[in-house]
Amino acid sequence: MVEALVTTAAAVASVGAVWVMAAARVVKQYERGVVFRLGRVRSSVRGPGFTLIVPFVDRLSKVNMQIVTMPVPAQDGITRDNVTVRVDAVIYFKVVDASEAIVQVEDYRFAVSQMAQTSLRSIIGKSDLDDLLSNREKLNQGLELMIDSPAMGWGVQIDRVEIKDVSLPETMKRSMARQAEADRERRARVINADAELQASKKLAEAAKEMSQQPAALQLRLLQTVVAVAAEKNSTLVLPFPVELLRFLERAQQPVPPSDSGPTQSGTGRE
């Protein structure tokens, strides 16, 4: 009798141990467990830690709740200003509702990837080339809204979308380089013209001041000679004042004869 009881207890213990081993599940901290009982999803989602299910009746599906970094393959498209570009991006998303991510969509990762590719092509067609190159923050926000709207029905939340690179054809790169060079040349010429205008105004003011003081012209002449001599040149050019040349020119001109001269007048006798 005792032996039968011991045997029965051992059998029950063995069955219980097998049942516990079949029913025991461990859900990690970054996961959530969705239980399907006879094909019907249970409303309660199993949290992290040790949990039990009914063997051969329940099926536990684990869903990763971490933020997923997914690269979006490069997409070829034509911008609104008819430029062929190749754009790639990266998307950050996470599951916020484990039951919806399992029930509403077959593979939420694949669905998000396909939605990101189609949205990226749509953004390329609606944008200009300048926006793709310089206004990416606005495009990132628009792309995030386009992906997040359908993803919310799948229990997925889009955290951020970033456009990584915009590839241009070589001909377009050369055209943009020529445009940038021409723009810099234009600005350099405008700055040079403004500098010439300011310098001419200052020179006019200096000439006006020097004309009132003749000694200032001589001092300026001596300063020029000193500046030229400091460069150790073998040739020294000395400019002459225009007034000195005019004085020498007047000195070389002959003196015209005077019309008023002594005349002799005779007195006749009758």
Side-chain angles (χ1 to χ4, degrees), residues 176-188:
M176 294 177 65
R178 290 195 300 268
Q179 179 183 359
E181 184 178 358
D183 184 67
R184 289 193 295 268
E185 183 68 21
R186 178 184 61 83
R187 285 185 292 177

Side-chain angles (χ1 to χ4, degrees), residues 149-166:
S149 298
M152 289 300 296
W154 306 334
V156 177
Q157 178 182 348
I158 306 300
D159 283 350
R160 191 172 183 84
V161 181
E162 292 285 347
I163 295 177
K164 293 200 305 183
D165 188 24
V166 178

Side-chain angles (χ1 to χ4, degrees), residues 54-105:
V54 179
F56 310 107
V57 176
D58 293 346
R59 181 175 63 86
L60 180 67
S61 297
K62 300 178 182 179
V63 181
N64 193 328
M65 307 295 288
Q66 291 176 314
I67 295 178
V68 179
T69 303
M70 177 181 293
V72 181
Q75 301 296 313
D76 294 325
I78 301 177
T79 62
R80 191 167 56 182
D81 49 355
N82 297 325
V83 179
T84 303
V85 295
R86 186 178 179 88
V87 182
D88 58 349
V90 60
I91 180 172
Y92 303 88
F93 67 93
K94 64 180 179 180
V95 176
V96 294
D97 192 334
S99 298
E100 295 292 333
I102 293 294
V103 176
Q104 296 298 330
V105 62

Side-chain angles (χ1 to χ4, degrees), residues 99-256:
S99 298
E100 295 292 333
I102 293 294
V103 176
Q104 296 298 330
V105 62
E106 179 180 4
D107 187 351
Y108 66 89
R109 290 174 178 265
F110 181 75
V112 171
S113 176
Q114 295 300 312
M115 179 59 65
Q117 294 180 36
T118 55
S119 300
L120 183 58
R121 284 195 296 266
S122 178
I123 284 292
I124 294 174
K126 295 179 180 179
S127 305
D128 295 330
L129 179 60
D130 293 339
D131 294 335
L132 289 175
L133 296 177
S134 61
N135 197 11
R136 292 189 182 182
E137 188 66 28
K138 183 178 179 180
L139 296 180
N140 293 337
Q141 294 177 1
L143 189 59
E144 179 180 348
L145 291 176
M146 293 179 64
I147 303 174
D148 191 56
S149 298
M152 289 300 296
W154 306 334
V156 177
Q157 178 182 348
I158 306 300
D159 283 350
R160 191 172 183 84
V161 181
E162 292 285 347
I163 295 177
K164 293 200 305 183
D165 188 24
V166 178
S167 301
L168 299 175
E170 292 297 330
T171 56
M172 180 56 63
K173 291 181 180 180
R174 290 193 294 267
S175 299
M176 294 177 65
R178 290 195 300 268
Q179 179 183 359
E181 184 178 358
D183 184 67
R184 289 193 295 268
E185 183 68 21
R186 178 184 61 83
R187 285 185 292 177
R189 291 184 179 182
V190 170
I191 294 174
N192 190 19
D194 291 339
E196 292 291 340
L197 178 60
Q198 296 178 7
S200 62
K201 290 181 180 180
K202 295 298 182 180
L203 288 175
E205 294 177 0
K208 183 178 179 181
E209 293 294 332
M210 288 183 179
S211 63
Q212 298 178 1
Q213 298 292 335
L217 295 175
Q218 301 298 328
L219 293 176
R220 183 58 181 169
L221 176 61
L222 294 176
Q223 290 178 356
T224 303
V225 172
V226 172
V228 173
E231 297 180 359
K232 299 180 180 180
N233 294 326
S234 59
T235 303
L236 182 62
V237 179
L238 294 178
F240 287 94
V242 179
E243 290 77 5
L244 180 59
L245 297 177
R246 292 178 180 176
F247 175 76
L248 295 176
E249 183 180 359
R250 287 196 299 267
Q252 292 178 359
Q253 292 179 357
V255 179

